[in-house]
Each structure stands twice: as structure tokens, then as C-alpha cells.
Amino acid sequence: MSEMPLNGKGAKNWWATHWIQALTQWYDPERLARGTSLARQGRVVEMTVQVGLARARVQGADGVEHEVRIDVRTFTEEQWQRVITVLAGQAMYTAQLLNGEMPHEIDGVFRAAGVSLFPRSATELVSECSCADWVRPCVHIVAALHRLGEMLDADPFTMLVLRGRSRDQLMAELRAERAERLGNGDALARQREPQDEPSPLDTDLDAFWRMGDALQTLRLHIERPDIELELVRILGAPEFSNDPLLLDQLERVYKRVTEKALRVAYAGEPQDDPLDNGQGNGFLPIVSAENGQEEELV
């Protein structure tokens, strides 16, 4: 079992460090050290996590196993809806979550919604153990809490489950919220469009192809995106296609387009001739899984 010091510095990710450091503030140092020692010895023989609850079997120093239960206060549906609303307003956070990453600012997002992803005090954790020790939390509970920190280190979505949402649930709700926003945005844009009839084209033919003054100050900055395949991850699988390989093909297309744009911008590679129908554009062909035939990326 991997070791994680009491200060959390052995954690790979910031969220696990946050969890371990919280334990050091809440619990007696001696009891915390003893419980952590049990966890490091591999005496948490089993642990399961479900919505609002973690269960564990912990073997004491005497070899006797004890049942541990840790209840975590879950958010209400109203609180989760506020969280979804705030998260959906930040495309970057949505893309990071879809990419399996926990944004460093995630707890700030939850606080903006009036809640905290991580428990603010030990009172948000209700723990029980089958041992006879009358002092709580006992070393078995502490060992289970330490093991929970290791699980968080491996999968940050464990904390979301404890707060009441699985990763799939959260992603589905985020996509639905963003889709609704996009739809409402289009409707509002249409409402705000001027109702005046556009000027006829022949009123100023000489100026039709003339570039506006704004182009003189336009500056383009081309770089690799912070989140790979952000748009694909945010939108998910399209409803109009049942092809399980479509997302994989889109990912390859997006990566090739990115590489092409960077080569054109910085390596002096010429742009494609729009009249060559995609031939000679530097892209490798895509192989269709259906018939094994090569298809040009147009």
C-alpha cells in the first residue's frame, strides 16, 4: 500500500493533500498517528464507497476485524442544482471534469454555490465502529479515513459520490445545463436582432469586398488548447449517430487540425488550396472500421 504522510505531502494530487491536512486539524495527533499506521500496514482490508457513505473492515493491532461506517453529509437537490449552474457557466471546468481532472478551483466553485465540496469540519462526518473503544474517532475509523484519502488521490470523483453525485450523473447534468444555455442564448440573440430590413447589396457594391478598419488591429494568437478535445468532451456523443467509433474519429480529426494549424502558423507551411478538394493537405487518411478502406480527411 502506498504511504501518505500525515501532512499529505505523499499525495499525488492536491485534493488528497487537502483531505489529509484536514484530518490533522480535526483529530488528536496521537490517535491520528496510530490510525494512519494501521492504514499503512494494510489493515484496512476492505473499503467501499457509495452515495454519502463509506464502509470499511479494519483489522486492529490484535488482529481482530472491526466494521467501520462513515456517513458524509450529502447536498440537497437544490444545492446540487446551484453547483451545476455555476459549473456550467465555466466551460473550462466542464472540460476538465470530462477529462477526468479535478479543477484546482473546484472548491471555490462549490462555495460560490453556497456549499463546500470538502467537509469544513469533522461534524460533517458521522462515524461508527464496532470496536469497544468509547473514544471517537477510534484508531480504526482514523485508518479508514486515511484509506479514503488514498482513494481520493486515485480518483477525485470519490468525493463527488460522497456528496451525492456519481461522475456520470454530474456529466449528464452539466451537458444538459450547457445545452439549455446554448439554446436559450440562440433564442435571446434572435430576439435582440434588429428588425430593420438589410440594405440592398447594390447600394454600395464598391465597398462590398473592402476590409473594415477593425481588421487593422486584429491579432491572432494560435496555440495548442489547454484542454485536449475540449469541445468533443463537453458535447459528448451526438444523438444523431449510433456509431461507437465516431468520437474516436473526431478526436483524430481534431488532433490533426491542431497540428496543421500550428504548422501553418509557426513553421511556414502553406495553407491548403481550397480548390484541391482536400488533396495534398498534409493529413493522413482515416481508415474506416467498417470496410477497412482509406477515407480522405476533407
Side-chain angles (χ1 to χ4, degrees):
M1 176 178 294
S2 60
E3 294 191 1
M4 190 182 299
L6 293 182
N7 58 14
K9 291 183 179 179
K12 298 178 182 178
N13 301 298
W14 67 267
W15 49 84
T17 300
H18 186 102
W19 174 263
I20 296 299
Q21 289 177 343
L23 298 184
T24 65
Q25 297 172 9
W26 297 341
Y27 303 125
D28 175 72
E30 180 182 354
R31 189 168 293 267
L32 186 63
R34 291 170 56 199
T36 300
S37 178
L38 288 180
R40 290 176 177 172
Q41 295 171 26
R43 293 184 180 272
V44 182
V45 296
E46 181 182 353
M47 188 160 203
T48 59
V49 173
Q50 60 192 79
V51 172
L53 175 63
R55 292 180 180 272
R57 285 192 298 117
V58 182
Q59 187 181 71
D62 56 2
V64 177
E65 289 188 3
H66 302 281
E67 299 291 332
V68 173
R69 175 189 176 108
I70 303 170
D71 289 275
V72 181
R73 186 183 304 166
T74 59
F75 300 147
T76 65
E77 289 300 314
E78 180 182 354
Q79 289 171 330
W80 267 115
Q81 184 54 53
R82 292 203 301 268
V83 170
I84 297 299
T85 299
V86 176
L87 279 174
Q90 299 289 338
M92 178 68 74
Y93 296 154
T94 303
Q96 286 179 299
L97 289 168
L98 288 169
N99 199 36
E101 304 171 19
M102 184 68 79
H104 200 283
E105 303 83 357
I106 190 72
D107 204 33
V109 174
F110 276 75
R111 286 196 299 271
V115 294
S116 176
L117 176 60
F118 295 93
R120 295 176 179 174
S121 70
T123 59
E124 292 190 53
L125 307 176
V126 179
S127 53
E128 300 176 4
C129 181
S130 60
C131 73
D133 191 345
W134 61 273
V135 178
R136 291 291 186 265
C138 63
V139 294
H140 313 109
I141 291 175
V142 173
L145 289 170
H146 187 89
R147 177 70 185 108
L148 190 55
E150 293 179 330
M151 294 179 68
L152 285 171
D153 204 25
D155 182 6
F157 291 90
T158 300
M159 180 54 69
L160 295 175
V161 174
L162 289 172
R163 286 302 201 180
R165 281 295 187 275
S166 69
R167 177 178 177 176
D168 290 343
Q169 283 179 297
L170 180 63
M171 295 303 100
E173 291 174 359
L174 279 175
R175 287 192 179 109
E177 178 73 17
R178 287 191 62 80
E180 182 177 355
R181 287 186 177 208
L182 290 173
N184 290 339
D186 291 342
L188 289 174
R190 287 192 296 270
Q191 292 175 8
R192 294 170 182 167
E193 288 177 355
Q195 301 301 315
D196 297 337
E197 290 293 329
S199 301
L201 179 61
D202 57 7
T203 58
D204 194 3
L205 288 177
D206 293 337
F208 182 77
W209 294 108
R210 188 181 304 148
M211 293 186 180
D213 295 337
L215 287 178
Q216 301 299 323
T217 58
L218 180 63
R219 295 292 182 270
L220 299 178
H221 182 62
I222 301 175
E223 62 181 358
R224 193 177 300 277
D226 293 330
I227 303 296
E228 290 288 341
L229 311 169
E230 178 179 357
L231 186 60
V232 175
R233 297 186 190 281
I234 290 176
L235 297 178
E239 297 181 357
F240 60 79
S241 174
N242 295 321
D243 184 359
L245 299 178
L246 178 60
L247 287 183
D248 179 62
Q249 293 175 340
L250 285 176
E251 288 183 2
R252 286 183 286 165
V253 169
Y254 271 63
K255 289 180 180 178
R256 291 172 183 172
V257 169
T258 297
E259 295 299 330
K260 177 66 175 180
L262 291 173
R263 293 199 301 270
V264 170
Y266 298 113
E269 183 172 312
Q271 298 186 44
D272 300 330
D273 184 349
L275 301 179
D276 69 358
N277 295 322
Q279 302 298 321
N281 56 17
F283 290 125
L284 296 176
I286 292 179
V287 178
S288 171
E290 295 183 357
N291 52 25
Q293 299 298 315
E294 292 185 351
E295 300 175 359
E296 290 293 340
L297 173 59
V298 178

Coordinates of all heavy atoms in Angstrom, one line a residue, residues 16-94:
A16 N -6.3 15.2 -2.4 CA -6.0 14.3 -1.4 C -5.1 14.9 -0.3 O -5.3 14.7 0.9 CB -5.2 13.1 -2.0
T17 N -4.2 15.8 -0.7 CA -3.5 16.6 0.3 C -4.4 17.4 1.2 O -4.3 17.5 2.4 CB -2.5 17.6 -0.4 OG1 -1.6 16.8 -1.2 CG2 -1.7 18.4 0.6
H18 N -5.4 18.0 0.5 CA -6.5 18.8 1.3 C -7.2 17.9 2.3 O -7.4 18.4 3.4 CB -7.5 19.4 0.2 CG -8.5 20.3 0.8 ND1 -8.4 21.7 0.7 CD2 -9.6 20.1 1.6 CE1 -9.4 22.3 1.3 NE2 -10.1 21.3 1.9
W19 N -7.5 16.7 1.9 CA -8.2 15.8 2.8 C -7.3 15.4 4.0 O -7.8 15.5 5.2 CB -8.6 14.6 2.0 CG -9.3 13.5 2.8 CD1 -8.6 12.4 3.3 CD2 -10.6 13.4 3.2 NE1 -9.5 11.6 4.0 CE2 -10.8 12.2 4.0 CE3 -11.7 14.2 3.1 CZ2 -12.0 11.8 4.5 CZ3 -12.9 13.8 3.6 CH2 -13.0 12.6 4.3
I20 N -6.1 15.0 3.7 CA -5.2 14.6 4.8 C -4.9 15.7 5.8 O -4.9 15.5 7.0 CB -3.9 14.0 4.2 CG1 -4.2 12.7 3.4 CG2 -2.9 13.6 5.3 CD1 -4.9 11.6 4.2
Q21 N -4.7 16.9 5.2 CA -4.4 18.0 6.1 C -5.6 18.4 7.0 O -5.4 18.8 8.1 CB -4.0 19.2 5.3 CG -2.6 19.1 4.6 CD -2.2 20.3 3.7 OE1 -3.1 21.1 3.3 NE2 -0.9 20.4 3.4
A22 N -6.8 18.2 6.5 CA -8.0 18.4 7.3 C -8.0 17.5 8.4 O -8.4 17.8 9.6 CB -9.2 18.3 6.4
L23 N -7.7 16.2 8.2 CA -7.7 15.2 9.3 C -6.7 15.6 10.4 O -7.0 15.4 11.6 CB -7.3 13.8 8.8 CG -8.2 13.2 7.7 CD1 -7.8 11.8 7.4 CD2 -9.7 13.2 8.2
T24 N -5.6 16.2 10.0 CA -4.6 16.6 11.1 C -5.1 17.7 11.9 O -4.7 17.9 13.1 CB -3.3 17.0 10.4 OG1 -3.5 18.1 9.6 CG2 -2.7 15.9 9.5
Q25 N -6.0 18.5 11.4 CA -6.6 19.6 12.1 C -7.8 19.2 13.0 O -8.0 19.8 14.1 CB -7.1 20.7 11.2 CG -6.0 21.3 10.3 CD -6.5 22.3 9.3 OE1 -7.7 22.6 9.2 NE2 -5.7 22.7 8.4
W26 N -8.4 18.1 12.6 CA -9.6 17.7 13.3 C -9.4 16.7 14.5 O -10.1 16.8 15.5 CB -10.6 17.0 12.4 CG -11.1 17.9 11.3 CD1 -11.1 19.3 11.2 CD2 -11.7 17.5 10.0 NE1 -11.6 19.8 10.1 CE2 -12.0 18.7 9.3 CE3 -12.0 16.3 9.5 CZ2 -12.6 18.7 8.1 CZ3 -12.6 16.3 8.2 CH2 -12.9 17.5 7.5
Y27 N -8.4 15.9 14.4 CA -8.2 14.8 15.3 C -7.0 14.8 16.1 O -6.0 15.5 15.7 CB -8.3 13.5 14.5 CG -9.6 13.3 13.8 CD1 -9.6 13.0 12.4 CD2 -10.8 13.5 14.4 CE1 -10.8 12.9 11.7 CE2 -12.0 13.3 13.7 CZ -12.0 13.1 12.3 OH -13.1 13.0 11.6
D28 N -7.0 14.2 17.3 CA -5.9 14.1 18.2 C -4.7 13.5 17.4 O -4.8 12.5 16.8 CB -6.2 13.2 19.4 CG -5.1 13.0 20.3 OD1 -4.7 13.9 21.0 OD2 -4.5 11.8 20.3
P29 N -3.5 14.2 17.5 CA -2.3 13.7 16.8 C -1.9 12.3 17.1 O -1.5 11.5 16.2 CB -1.2 14.7 17.2 CG -2.0 15.9 17.7 CD -3.2 15.4 18.3
E30 N -1.9 11.9 18.4 CA -1.5 10.5 18.7 C -2.5 9.5 18.1 O -2.0 8.5 17.6 CB -1.5 10.4 20.3 CG -1.1 9.0 20.7 CD -1.1 8.8 22.2 OE1 -1.3 9.8 22.9 OE2 -0.8 7.7 22.7
R31 N -3.8 9.7 18.3 CA -4.7 8.8 17.7 C -4.6 8.8 16.2 O -4.8 7.7 15.5 CB -6.1 9.2 18.2 CG -7.2 8.1 17.8 CD -8.5 8.5 18.6 NE -8.3 8.4 20.0 CZ -8.6 7.2 20.7 NH1 -9.1 6.2 20.0 NH2 -8.4 7.2 22.0
L32 N -4.4 9.9 15.6 CA -4.3 10.0 14.1 C -3.1 9.2 13.7 O -3.1 8.5 12.7 CB -4.1 11.5 13.7 CG -4.1 11.8 12.2 CD1 -5.4 11.4 11.6 CD2 -3.9 13.3 12.0
A33 N -2.0 9.3 14.4 CA -0.7 8.6 14.0 C -1.0 7.1 14.1 O -0.5 6.3 13.3 CB 0.4 9.0 14.9
R34 N -1.6 6.6 15.2 CA -1.9 5.2 15.3 C -2.8 4.7 14.2 O -2.6 3.6 13.7 CB -2.5 4.9 16.7 CG -1.6 5.1 17.9 CD -2.3 5.1 19.2 NE -3.0 3.8 19.3 CZ -4.0 3.6 20.2 NH1 -4.4 4.6 21.0 NH2 -4.6 2.5 20.3
G35 N -3.9 5.4 13.9 CA -4.8 5.0 12.9 C -4.1 5.0 11.5 O -4.3 4.1 10.7
T36 N -3.3 6.0 11.3 CA -2.5 6.1 10.0 C -1.6 4.9 9.9 O -1.4 4.3 8.8 CB -1.8 7.4 9.9 OG1 -2.7 8.5 9.9 CG2 -1.0 7.5 8.6
S37 N -1.0 4.5 11.0 CA 0.0 3.4 11.0 C -0.8 2.1 10.6 O -0.3 1.3 9.8 CB 0.6 3.2 12.4 OG 1.5 2.1 12.4
L38 N -2.0 1.9 11.1 CA -2.8 0.8 10.7 C -3.1 0.8 9.2 O -2.9 -0.3 8.5 CB -4.1 0.8 11.5 CG -4.1 0.4 13.0 CD1 -5.5 0.5 13.5 CD2 -3.5 -1.0 13.2
A39 N -3.4 1.9 8.7 CA -3.7 2.0 7.2 C -2.5 1.7 6.4 O -2.5 1.0 5.4 CB -4.2 3.4 6.9
R40 N -1.3 2.2 6.9 CA -0.1 1.9 6.1 C 0.3 0.5 6.2 O 1.0 0.0 5.3 CB 1.1 2.8 6.7 CG 0.9 4.3 6.3 CD 2.0 5.1 7.0 NE 1.8 6.5 6.6 CZ 2.6 7.5 7.2 NH1 3.5 7.2 8.1 NH2 2.4 8.7 6.8
Q41 N -0.1 -0.2 7.2 CA 0.2 -1.6 7.4 C -0.7 -2.5 6.5 O -0.6 -3.7 6.5 CB 0.2 -2.1 8.8 CG 1.2 -1.4 9.7 CD 1.0 -1.7 11.2 OE1 0.3 -2.7 11.6 NE2 1.4 -0.8 12.0
G42 N -1.7 -1.9 5.9 CA -2.6 -2.6 5.0 C -3.7 -3.3 5.8 O -4.3 -4.3 5.4
R43 N -4.0 -2.7 7.0 CA -5.1 -3.3 7.8 C -6.5 -2.9 7.5 O -7.4 -3.3 8.1 CB -4.7 -3.0 9.3 CG -3.5 -3.7 9.8 CD -3.2 -3.5 11.3 NE -2.0 -4.2 11.7 CZ -2.0 -5.5 12.1 NH1 -3.1 -6.2 12.2 NH2 -0.8 -6.0 12.5
V44 N -6.6 -1.9 6.5 CA -7.9 -1.6 6.0 C -8.2 -2.7 4.9 O -7.8 -2.5 3.8 CB -8.0 -0.2 5.5 CG1 -9.5 0.1 5.0 CG2 -7.7 0.8 6.5
V45 N -8.8 -3.8 5.3 CA -8.8 -4.9 4.4 C -9.9 -4.8 3.3 O -9.8 -5.5 2.3 CB -9.0 -6.2 5.2 CG1 -7.8 -6.5 6.1 CG2 -10.3 -6.2 6.0
E46 N -10.8 -3.9 3.5 CA -11.9 -3.7 2.5 C -12.5 -2.4 2.7 O -12.7 -1.9 3.9 CB -13.0 -4.8 2.6 CG -14.1 -4.7 1.6 CD -15.2 -5.7 1.8 OE1 -15.0 -6.6 2.6 OE2 -16.2 -5.6 1.1
M47 N -12.8 -1.7 1.6 CA -13.5 -0.4 1.7 C -14.3 -0.2 0.5 O -13.9 -0.4 -0.7 CB -12.5 0.7 1.8 CG -13.1 2.1 2.2 SD -11.9 3.3 2.9 CE -13.1 4.4 3.7
T48 N -15.5 0.3 0.7 CA -16.5 0.6 -0.4 C -17.0 2.0 -0.2 O -17.2 2.4 0.9 CB -17.6 -0.4 -0.5 OG1 -18.3 -0.4 0.8 CG2 -17.1 -1.8 -0.8
V49 N -17.3 2.6 -1.3 CA -17.9 4.0 -1.3 C -19.1 4.0 -2.1 O -19.2 3.5 -3.2 CB -16.8 5.0 -1.8 CG1 -17.5 6.4 -1.9 CG2 -15.6 5.1 -0.9
Q50 N -20.2 4.6 -1.6 CA -21.4 4.9 -2.3 C -21.9 6.3 -1.9 O -21.2 7.0 -1.1 CB -22.4 3.8 -2.0 CG -22.8 3.7 -0.5 CD -23.6 2.4 -0.2 OE1 -23.0 1.4 0.0 NE2 -24.9 2.6 0.0
V51 N -23.0 6.6 -2.4 CA -23.5 8.0 -2.2 C -23.7 8.3 -0.7 O -24.4 7.6 0.0 CB -24.9 8.2 -2.9 CG1 -25.5 9.5 -2.5 CG2 -24.8 8.1 -4.4
G52 N -22.9 9.2 -0.2 CA -23.0 9.6 1.2 C -22.5 8.7 2.2 O -22.6 8.9 3.4
L53 N -21.8 7.6 1.8 CA -21.4 6.6 2.7 C -20.1 5.8 2.3 O -20.0 5.5 1.1 CB -22.5 5.5 2.9 CG -22.3 4.3 3.7 CD1 -22.1 4.7 5.2 CD2 -23.5 3.3 3.6
A54 N -19.3 5.6 3.3 CA -18.1 4.8 3.1 C -18.1 3.7 4.2 O -18.3 4.0 5.3 CB -16.8 5.6 3.2
R55 N -17.9 2.4 3.8 CA -17.8 1.3 4.7 C -16.4 0.7 4.6 O -15.9 0.6 3.5 CB -18.9 0.3 4.4 CG -20.3 0.7 4.6 CD -21.3 -0.4 4.3 NE -22.7 0.0 4.5 CZ -23.3 -0.2 5.7 NH1 -22.7 -0.7 6.7 NH2 -24.6 0.2 5.8
A56 N -16.0 0.2 5.7 CA -14.6 -0.4 5.7 C -14.6 -1.5 6.8 O -15.3 -1.5 7.8 CB -13.5 0.6 6.0
R57 N -13.7 -2.5 6.5 CA -13.3 -3.5 7.5 C -11.9 -3.3 7.9 O -11.0 -3.3 7.0 CB -13.5 -4.9 7.0 CG -15.0 -5.4 6.9 CD -15.1 -6.9 6.7 NE -14.6 -7.2 5.4 CZ -13.5 -8.1 5.2 NH1 -12.9 -8.6 6.3 NH2 -13.1 -8.4 4.0
V58 N -11.6 -3.0 9.1 CA -10.3 -2.6 9.6 C -9.8 -3.6 10.6 O -10.5 -3.9 11.6 CB -10.3 -1.2 10.2 CG1 -8.9 -0.8 10.6 CG2 -10.8 -0.2 9.2
Q59 N -8.6 -4.1 10.4 CA -8.0 -5.1 11.3 C -7.2 -4.4 12.4 O -6.3 -3.6 12.0 CB -7.2 -6.1 10.6 CG -6.6 -7.2 11.4 CD -5.8 -8.1 10.5 OE1 -4.7 -7.7 10.2 NE2 -6.3 -9.3 10.2
G60 N -7.5 -4.5 13.6 CA -6.8 -3.9 14.7 C -5.4 -4.5 14.9 O -5.1 -5.5 14.3
A61 N -4.7 -3.9 15.8 CA -3.3 -4.4 16.1 C -3.3 -5.8 16.7 O -2.4 -6.5 16.5 CB -2.6 -3.4 17.1
D62 N -4.5 -6.2 17.3 CA -4.6 -7.5 17.8 C -5.1 -8.5 16.8 O -5.3 -9.7 17.1 CB -5.5 -7.5 19.0 CG -6.9 -6.9 18.7 OD1 -7.1 -6.6 17.5 OD2 -7.8 -6.8 19.6
G63 N -5.3 -8.1 15.6 CA -5.7 -9.0 14.5 C -7.2 -9.1 14.4 O -7.7 -9.7 13.4
V64 N -8.0 -8.5 15.3 CA -9.5 -8.6 15.2 C -10.0 -7.5 14.2 O -9.6 -6.4 14.3 CB -10.1 -8.3 16.6 CG1 -11.6 -8.3 16.6 CG2 -9.6 -9.4 17.6
E65 N -10.9 -8.0 13.4 CA -11.5 -7.1 12.4 C -12.7 -6.3 13.0 O -13.5 -6.9 13.7 CB -11.9 -7.8 11.1 CG -10.7 -8.3 10.3 CD -11.2 -8.9 9.0 OE1 -12.4 -8.8 8.7 OE2 -10.3 -9.3 8.2
H66 N -12.9 -5.1 12.6 CA -14.0 -4.2 13.0 C -14.7 -3.6 11.8 O -14.0 -3.2 10.9 CB -13.5 -3.2 14.0 CG -12.8 -3.7 15.2 ND1 -13.4 -4.2 16.3 CD2 -11.4 -3.8 15.5 CE1 -12.5 -4.6 17.2 NE2 -11.3 -4.4 16.7
E67 N -16.0 -3.4 12.0 CA -16.7 -2.8 10.9 C -16.8 -1.3 11.2 O -17.2 -0.8 12.2 CB -18.2 -3.3 10.9 CG -18.2 -4.8 10.6 CD -17.9 -5.2 9.2 OE1 -18.0 -4.3 8.3 OE2 -17.4 -6.3 9.0
V68 N -16.4 -0.5 10.1 CA -16.4 1.0 10.2 C -17.4 1.5 9.2 O -17.4 1.1 8.1 CB -15.0 1.5 10.0 CG1 -15.1 3.1 9.9 CG2 -14.0 1.1 11.1
R69 N -18.1 2.5 9.7 CA -19.1 3.2 8.8 C -18.8 4.7 8.9 O -18.8 5.2 10.0 CB -20.5 2.9 9.2 CG -21.6 3.6 8.4 CD -23.0 3.4 9.0 NE -24.0 4.3 8.3 CZ -24.9 3.8 7.4 NH1 -24.9 2.5 7.2 NH2 -25.7 4.6 6.8
I70 N -18.7 5.4 7.8 CA -18.5 6.8 7.7 C -19.6 7.5 6.9 O -19.6 7.2 5.7 CB -17.1 7.2 7.2 CG1 -16.0 6.5 8.0 CG2 -16.9 8.7 7.2 CD1 -14.6 6.6 7.4
D71 N -20.5 8.2 7.5 CA -21.5 8.9 6.7 C -21.1 10.3 6.5 O -20.6 11.1 7.4 CB -22.8 8.9 7.6 CG -23.5 7.6 7.6 OD1 -24.2 7.2 6.7 OD2 -23.2 6.8 8.6
V72 N -21.2 10.8 5.2 CA -20.8 12.1 4.8 C -22.1 12.8 4.4 O -22.9 12.3 3.6 CB -19.8 12.1 3.6 CG1 -19.4 13.5 3.2 CG2 -18.6 11.3 4.0
R73 N -22.3 14.1 4.9 CA -23.5 14.8 4.6 C -23.5 15.1 3.1 O -22.6 15.7 2.5 CB -23.4 16.1 5.4 CG -24.7 17.0 5.2 CD -24.6 18.3 6.0 NE -24.2 18.1 7.4 CZ -23.7 19.0 8.2 NH1 -23.5 20.2 7.7 NH2 -23.4 18.7 9.4
T74 N -24.6 14.7 2.5 CA -24.8 14.9 1.0 C -25.5 16.3 0.8 O -26.2 16.8 1.7 CB -25.6 13.8 0.4 OG1 -26.9 13.7 1.0 CG2 -24.9 12.5 0.5
F75 N -25.3 16.8 -0.4 CA -26.0 18.0 -0.8 C -27.5 17.7 -1.2 O -27.8 16.6 -1.7 CB -25.3 18.7 -2.0 CG -23.9 19.1 -1.7 CD1 -23.0 19.0 -2.8 CD2 -23.5 19.4 -0.5 CE1 -21.6 19.3 -2.5 CE2 -22.1 19.8 -0.2 CZ -21.2 19.7 -1.3
T76 N -28.3 18.7 -0.9 CA -29.7 18.6 -1.4 C -29.8 18.8 -2.9 O -28.8 19.2 -3.5 CB -30.6 19.6 -0.7 OG1 -30.2 20.9 -1.1 CG2 -30.4 19.6 0.8
E77 N -30.9 18.4 -3.4 CA -31.1 18.6 -4.9 C -31.0 20.1 -5.3 O -30.4 20.4 -6.3 CB -32.5 18.0 -5.3 CG -32.6 16.5 -5.3 CD -31.5 15.9 -6.2 OE1 -31.4 16.3 -7.4 OE2 -30.9 14.9 -5.8
E78 N -31.5 20.9 -4.4 CA -31.4 22.4 -4.7 C -30.0 22.8 -4.7 O -29.5 23.6 -5.5 CB -32.2 23.2 -3.6 CG -32.2 24.7 -3.9 CD -33.0 25.4 -2.8 OE1 -33.6 24.8 -1.9 OE2 -32.9 26.7 -2.8
Q79 N -29.2 22.3 -3.7 CA -27.8 22.7 -3.7 C -27.0 22.2 -4.9 O -26.2 22.9 -5.4 CB -27.2 22.2 -2.4 CG -27.6 22.9 -1.1 CD -27.2 22.2 0.2 OE1 -27.0 21.0 0.2 NE2 -27.0 23.0 1.2
W80 N -27.3 21.0 -5.3 CA -26.6 20.4 -6.5 C -27.0 21.2 -7.7 O -26.1 21.4 -8.6 CB -27.0 19.0 -6.7 CG -26.0 18.0 -6.0 CD1 -26.2 17.2 -5.0 CD2 -24.6 17.9 -6.4 NE1 -25.0 16.5 -4.7 CE2 -24.0 16.9 -5.5 CE3 -23.8 18.4 -7.4 CZ2 -22.7 16.5 -5.6 CZ3 -22.5 18.1 -7.5 CH2 -21.9 17.1 -6.6
Q81 N -28.2 21.7 -7.8 CA -28.6 22.4 -9.0 C -27.9 23.8 -9.0 O -27.4 24.2 -10.1 CB -30.1 22.7 -8.9 CG -30.7 23.4 -10.2 CD -30.3 22.7 -11.5 OE1 -30.5 21.6 -11.7 NE2 -29.6 23.5 -12.4
R82 N -27.6 24.4 -7.9 CA -26.8 25.6 -7.8 C -25.4 25.3 -8.3 O -24.8 26.1 -9.0 CB -26.8 26.2 -6.4 CG -28.2 26.8 -6.0 CD -28.0 27.8 -4.9 NE -27.4 27.3 -3.7 CZ -28.0 26.8 -2.7 NH1 -29.3 26.7 -2.7 NH2 -27.3 26.4 -1.7
V83 N -24.9 24.2 -7.8 CA -23.5 23.8 -8.2 C -23.4 23.6 -9.7 O -22.5 24.1 -10.4 CB -23.0 22.5 -7.5 CG1 -21.7 22.0 -8.1 CG2 -22.9 22.8 -6.0
I84 N -24.4 22.9 -10.3 CA -24.4 22.6 -11.7 C -24.5 23.9 -12.5 O -23.8 24.1 -13.5 CB -25.6 21.7 -12.1 CG1 -25.5 20.3 -11.4 CG2 -25.7 21.6 -13.6 CD1 -24.3 19.5 -11.8
T85 N -25.3 24.8 -12.0 CA -25.5 26.1 -12.7 C -24.1 26.9 -12.7 O -23.8 27.5 -13.8 CB -26.5 27.0 -12.0 OG1 -27.8 26.3 -12.0 CG2 -26.7 28.3 -12.7
V86 N -23.4 26.9 -11.6 CA -22.1 27.6 -11.6 C -21.1 26.9 -12.4 O -20.4 27.6 -13.2 CB -21.6 27.7 -10.1 CG1 -20.3 28.4 -10.1 CG2 -22.6 28.6 -9.3
L87 N -21.0 25.6 -12.3 CA -20.0 24.9 -13.1 C -20.3 25.0 -14.6 O -19.4 25.2 -15.4 CB -20.1 23.4 -12.7 CG -19.3 22.9 -11.5 CD1 -19.6 21.5 -11.2 CD2 -17.8 23.2 -11.6
A88 N -21.6 24.9 -15.0 CA -21.9 25.0 -16.4 C -21.5 26.4 -17.0 O -21.4 26.5 -18.2 CB -23.4 24.8 -16.6
G89 N -21.4 27.4 -16.2 CA -21.0 28.7 -16.6 C -19.5 28.8 -17.0 O -19.1 29.8 -17.5
Q90 N -18.8 27.8 -16.6 CA -17.3 27.8 -16.9 C -17.0 26.6 -17.8 O -16.9 25.5 -17.3 CB -16.6 27.7 -15.6 CG -16.8 28.8 -14.6 CD -16.2 30.1 -15.1 OE1 -15.3 30.1 -15.9 NE2 -16.7 31.3 -14.6
A91 N -16.8 26.8 -19.1 CA -16.6 25.7 -20.0 C -15.3 25.0 -19.7 O -15.2 23.8 -19.8 CB -16.5 26.3 -21.4
M92 N -14.3 25.7 -19.1 CA -13.0 25.1 -18.8 C -13.2 24.1 -17.7 O -12.6 23.0 -17.8 CB -12.0 26.2 -18.3 CG -10.7 25.6 -17.9 SD -9.7 25.0 -19.3 CE -9.2 26.5 -20.1
Y93 N -14.0 24.4 -16.7 CA -14.2 23.4 -15.6 C -14.9 22.2 -16.1 O -14.6 21.1 -15.8 CB -15.0 24.1 -14.5 CG -14.3 25.2 -13.8 CD1 -15.1 26.2 -13.1 CD2 -12.9 25.3 -13.7 CE1 -14.4 27.3 -12.5 CE2 -12.3 26.4 -13.1 CZ -13.1 27.3 -12.5 OH -12.5 28.4 -11.8
T94 N -15.9 22.4 -17.0 CA -16.7 21.3 -17.5 C -15.7 20.4 -18.3 O -15.8 19.2 -18.2 CB -17.8 21.8 -18.5 OG1 -18.6 22.7 -17.7 CG2 -18.6 20.7 -19.0

